[in-house]
Amino acid sequence: MNDDKSTAPTNFIRNIIDKNLAANLYANKTWAGQPGPSKTHKNASIDAAKIRTRFPPEPNGYLHFGHAKSIILNFSLAQDYGGRCHLRFDDTNPEKENEEYVKSIIDGVHWLGYKFQDEYENNLYYASNYFDHMYDAAKVLINAGLGYVDKQTADEIRINRGTLTDPGKNSPYRDQSIDDNLQLFEEMKAGKYKDGEMVLRAKINMASPNINLRDPAIYRIRHVPHHNTGDKWCIYPMYTFAHPIEDALEKITHSICTLEFEDQRPFYEWVLKKLAEFEFFDKPLPKQHEFSRLNLSHVVLSKRKLIQLVEDNYVNGWDDPRMPTLVGAKRRGYHPKGFKLFMDRIGVSKSDSIIDYQTFEDAMRDVLNQECNRKIAVLNPIKLIIENFDENHTEICTVPNHPQKPEEGNREVKLTKELWIEAEDFEIIPPPKYFRLFPGNKVRLRYGFVVECTDYELDNEGHVTTVYCNYFPETKSGTEGSDSIKVKGNIHWLSTNFSKEITIRNYDRLFLSENPSELDNFLDDINQSSIETKSAYCEESISDVKTGEQFQFERHGYYIVDPESNSDEIIFNRTATLRDNWQK
RNA sequence: AGGGGAGUCGCCAAGCUGGUUAAGGCACAGGGUUUUGAUCCCUGCAUGCGAAGGUUCGAAUCCUUCCUCCCCUGCCA
């Protein structure tokens, strides 16, 4: 599974990096060991990191599968090219961000298996720690006549921005003197003005066909305390201005973001080019590259919709195993290695795409098959009584913990006269090609004996309650006679005397249609049977299991111990079923 | 409508400085192994690269026109 080197990730971003490296673009790039403008890095040594990438989340929500794509992309690039990947909180909007999200994001990145700190560097950064630099950068622009304080209202600015087809109109404050702008900007910072009263704008071109270049706002007034800087600031930079600066301060080489920022790239480049002209930054400057975000079928990934699912209680919180969040994935039993395999398989490109959920699930199965030891569980029990079996006898059966990994060892399971088997493993009138139990048919009790069905019993409603069999003592698994009777069917079982009751939560997809986001109301599309809770029997060896432990219940699927388990009740969440090629 | 992107097998995705039988994965179909109808292993699966023209000995790759889809008019990111 990990020898998936045939699918060796090659994508347009790697091609760009290869080309940049071949051109020796970063040969003279210095790094002072910490972020800063050109003066910080000026006399520093050559950066040991061949490239620098970053994952820059805004701490205003929980990480989801889409973030996982970006995290894995950026960190694996840094890993593969001998570089570094920074985790940077893009916390420039105090109204939405908080520490709780910061913590959960750090946990999520760690959970996926990535480190951003070691004995050499600690690459955990906050955009809010750069506010002084950003303020300085804004003044550089103002001094160069490239920035002005606009007293128009938000509405006026919007109207004067023009439309997609009509050019905008210059602000009456556009030609204010540099000194006035400087003074106004300082007064903004000093708290002299109210929220929204004025804004600092870059002076570019109000007639640009690219709306992002029509004198974008770069600083706004917000008298709101910040989770990191407290009351120090009442003006905050806009993302479009802050982001290129953050990247340049951190000497990022490849600034990778999603497609919707493509139109923003000219401004990103404008900011850096101007600041480099005034020696605020050194070359090489970071370059922005865009890839298409992850879309998964049968899933919603927009923050707004995710919040709705949680707040309106369609799911039980952000870590509900049905949620496409990282905390949900962890609780569902999705494995970090599975995420990486999945990302390798789907690649990175610029085309919009919707990936089958099946592809994701299949990558998980691949990983889980390797990672999980096996257990036996009977989920839908009916009784099987071996008529010719001594009711005082207990037969010890040896069971391998992992069929492909003998080094995982064996365990013992006890077989007695009265057993639980799956209701699905018996049919009164078998469908074509059915090779499990039916009257007259022989089947192997996995790891035990071959039995032949002699009779069965029904309840008042016609449901099978008990199946009667005779066993063939010479056919015990692992003995010479085990092959003396050939059978096709092979079913699992548990002694009614030696089994433990557990709780099972079988999860299924949360949405019925392929693309719920396209629907008028995605909430109508919720799968009402996305969770099924039931009690089941499991082998005794399950008793001392711990939260987070994962197993394959043979012939069923992959299960993980839920945190809500306690000494009285062990709860298992179904991560995924096994593939099933058998159709009736 | 102005600007920016994307269209290669059911779903992804290489290739795209022109020259190979158009990689690979997932899915699917068939076969083998197997005490999980799982895993694993084989085999098959685009005369075709959004469409139409053109250039060329030769085009998915170059040119022209057209079509479809996505993104952009926050003092969000």
Side-chain angles (χ1 to χ4, degrees):
Chain A
M1 151 227 121
N2 269 341
D3 29 277
D4 240 271
K5 293 304 172 200
S6 53
T7 48
T10 167
N11 58 50
F12 77 100
I13 293 176
R14 284 174 184 264
N15 292 159
I16 289 168
I17 295 175
D18 288 339
K19 208 173 289 176
N20 293 160
L21 256 16
N24 258 303
L25 217 59
Y26 315 118
N28 300 317
K29 179 168 65 82
T30 57
W31 169 246
Q34 58 176 318
S38 58
K39 61 181 184 218
T40 304
H41 300 290
K42 199 172 174 186
N43 297 311
S45 48
I46 298 296
D47 193 351
K50 300 277 183 279
I51 62 168
R52 285 186 187 270
T53 56
R54 101 268 96 112
F55 172 60
E58 182 185 18
N60 71 343
Y62 288 89
L63 259 20
H64 57 63
F65 291 11
H67 294 111
K69 179 177 182 182
S70 177
I71 291 168
I72 291 169
L73 209 213
N74 279 292
F75 278 92
S76 66
L77 247 22
Q79 246 166 29
D80 296 352
Y81 284 94
R84 296 288 300 187
C85 181
H86 302 182
L87 172 59
R88 176 175 72 225
F89 288 101
D90 207 353
D91 53 354
T92 56
N93 184 352
E95 294 175 299
K96 293 184 171 179
E97 301 150 3
N98 68 51
E99 280 302 321
E100 181 199 338
Y101 293 128
V102 168
K103 191 186 171 305
S104 83
I105 289 168
I106 290 175
D107 288 349
V109 175
H110 280 152
W111 181 70
L112 281 175
Y114 296 109
K115 287 198 210 120
F116 34 82
Q117 47 199 305
D118 57 22
E119 60 269 42
Y120 305 109
E121 284 188 30
N122 178 2
N123 299 119
L124 172 63
Y125 300 116
Y126 293 80
S128 53
N129 285 152
Y130 308 147
F131 284 164
D132 282 303
H133 295 310
M134 293 174 189
Y135 181 73
D136 291 344
K139 286 209 292 199
V140 168
L141 256 29
I142 295 172
N143 275 119
L146 296 169
Y148 63 97
V149 172
D150 196 339
K151 292 181 186 165
Q152 290 182 107
T153 65
D155 274 349
E156 287 167 335
I157 288 179
R158 180 173 47 75
I159 289 161
N160 289 331
R161 185 159 28 231
T163 68
L164 293 178
T165 48
D166 305 315
K169 288 194 196 71
N170 284 177
S171 163
Y173 303 94
R174 198 172 198 264
D175 295 319
Q176 222 159 226
S177 75
I178 289 175
D179 286 343
D180 287 350
N181 284 320
L182 242 20
Q183 189 186 336
L184 251 14
F185 187 49
E186 269 168 30
E187 288 172 353
M188 276 170 65
K189 181 194 178 206
K192 197 170 171 187
Y193 305 109
K194 293 196 290 287
D195 287 6
E197 203 170 332
M198 52 188 67
V199 77
L200 179 67
R201 291 230 255 173
K203 191 192 284 187
I204 308 181
N205 177 10
M206 287 306 290
S208 172
N210 181 348
I211 290 181
N212 300 297
L213 260 20
R214 318 239 262 230
D215 292 8
I218 59 178
Y219 256 98
R220 78 285 212 179
I221 302 170
R222 284 289 176 280
H223 292 270
V224 174
H226 187 280
H227 74 95
N228 180 36
T229 59
D231 292 325
K232 185 179 175 193
W233 297 88
C234 64
I235 55 171
Y236 293 95
M238 302 284 292
Y239 163 85
T240 50
F241 178 65
H243 210 85
I245 294 175
E246 293 160 25
D247 286 341
L249 290 168
E250 292 178 23
K251 290 279 184 165
I252 298 301
T253 54
H254 303 268
S255 178
I256 301 165
C257 61
T258 43
L259 251 29
E260 67 270 27
F261 294 102
E262 278 180 315
D263 292 341
Q264 214 67 245
R265 193 173 60 230
F267 183 65
Y268 181 99
E269 288 170 348
W270 182 90
V271 170
L272 294 183
K273 180 164 175 270
K274 295 302 177 191
L275 291 173
E277 278 171 19
F278 296 96
E279 295 177 348
F280 192 82
F281 288 131
D282 279 333
K283 290 179 180 169
L285 266 8
K287 287 273 188 237
Q288 176 180 304
H289 306 280
E290 311 86 9
F291 69 99
S292 59
R293 59 166 3 113
L294 174 68
N295 292 303
L296 259 190
S297 73
H298 306 281
V299 161
V300 297
L301 286 176
S302 92
K303 196 170 284 177
R304 207 200 94 243
K305 293 191 173 76
L306 258 18
I307 287 172
Q308 210 173 337
L309 290 172
V310 173
E311 290 188 346
D312 298 345
N313 296 309
Y314 289 97
V315 295
N316 304 312
W318 288 96
D319 66 344
D320 186 299
R322 292 165 296 180
M323 287 286 278
T325 52
L326 258 32
V327 282
K330 182 182 177 185
R331 199 166 163 195
R332 176 71 172 258
Y334 289 143
H335 196 109
K337 283 185 187 173
F339 276 92
K340 282 169 218 158
L341 180 60
F342 171 62
M343 297 308 167
D344 278 351
R345 285 181 177 176
I346 64 172
V348 177
S349 76
K350 300 186 71 142
S351 44
D352 298 309
S353 59
I354 300 180
I355 283 124
D356 286 344
Y357 196 78
Q358 192 178 238
T359 303
F360 173 79
E361 208 169 36
D362 194 78
M364 287 300 163
R365 285 195 184 100
D366 262 30
V367 169
L368 262 14
N369 179 237
Q370 295 294 317
E371 301 288 322
C372 294
N373 276 166
R374 318 275 112 140
K375 292 287 182 197
I376 298 165
V378 176
L379 269 39
N380 202 193
I382 58 173
K383 264 184 194 171
L384 182 146
I385 293 172
I386 309 174
E387 294 184 291
N388 61 343
F389 200 93
D390 177 355
E391 69 182 290
N392 296 312
H393 180 59
T394 298
E395 180 79 21
I396 304 294
C397 298
T398 302
V399 179
N401 287 321
H402 191 123
Q404 279 88 42
K405 292 181 174 176
E407 68 275 18
E408 290 295 319
N410 300 316
R411 63 191 191 283
E412 292 179 345
V413 175
K414 294 165 183 160
L415 186 144
T416 57
K417 184 182 181 76
E418 194 175 285
L419 307 173
W420 295 120
I421 63 166
E422 298 290 348
E424 294 77 22
D425 287 338
F426 174 80
E427 293 283 351
I428 301 169
I429 301 164
K433 292 189 187 164
Y434 185 84
F435 53 66
R436 279 112 96 174
L437 226 37
F438 52 86
N441 196 227
K442 293 190 190 71
V443 93
R444 174 172 296 279
L445 296 178
R446 196 161 161 72
Y447 310 120
F449 303 94
V450 171
V451 294
E452 178 172 17
C453 177
T454 54
D455 200 3
Y456 60 91
E457 222 169 74
L458 305 175
D459 63 14
N460 296 336
E461 286 156 7
H463 299 302
V464 177
T465 56
T466 311
V467 175
Y468 294 92
C469 290
N470 277 133
Y471 86 116
F472 300 88
E474 72 280 12
T475 59
K476 172 132 193 235
S477 294
T479 68
E480 270 185 36
S482 68
D483 284 338
S484 57
I485 299 177
K486 304 271 187 205
V487 291
K488 229 180 161 192
N490 194 319
I491 68 171
H492 63 276
W493 50 270
L494 246 21
S495 164
T496 55
N497 295 144
F498 302 104
S499 53
K500 183 173 170 60
E501 218 169 324
I502 57 171
T503 299
I504 293 287
R505 303 217 266 232
N506 282 336
Y507 291 102
D508 199 355
R509 52 181 53 147
L510 225 204
F511 294 98
L512 267 6
S513 44
E514 198 169 306
N515 195 355
S517 300
E518 297 289 278
L519 270 28
D520 290 339
N521 185 2
F522 76 106
L523 296 170
D524 293 343
D525 190 50
I526 287 181
N527 177 8
Q528 298 302 329
S529 345
S530 61
I531 176 170
E532 175 204 26
T533 302
K534 59 156 100 186
S535 73
Y537 293 106
C538 191
E539 59 182 271
E540 291 179 303
S541 69
I542 208 74
S543 332
D544 55 350
V545 97
K546 286 187 257 333
T547 291
E549 280 195 72
Q550 298 186 85
F551 300 97
Q552 181 197 102
F553 287 163
E554 292 197 2
R555 304 212 298 136
H556 284 298
Y558 299 97
Y559 286 80
I560 183 168
V561 181
D562 190 82
E564 286 177 0
S565 302
N566 55 50
S567 49
D568 296 331
E569 185 188 21
I570 306 177
I571 301 168
F572 280 93
N573 296 331
R574 182 171 73 195
T575 309
T577 61
L578 256 30
R579 257 199 220 88
D580 185 9
N581 290 334
W582 154 252
Q583 286 109 340
K584 289 181 194 173

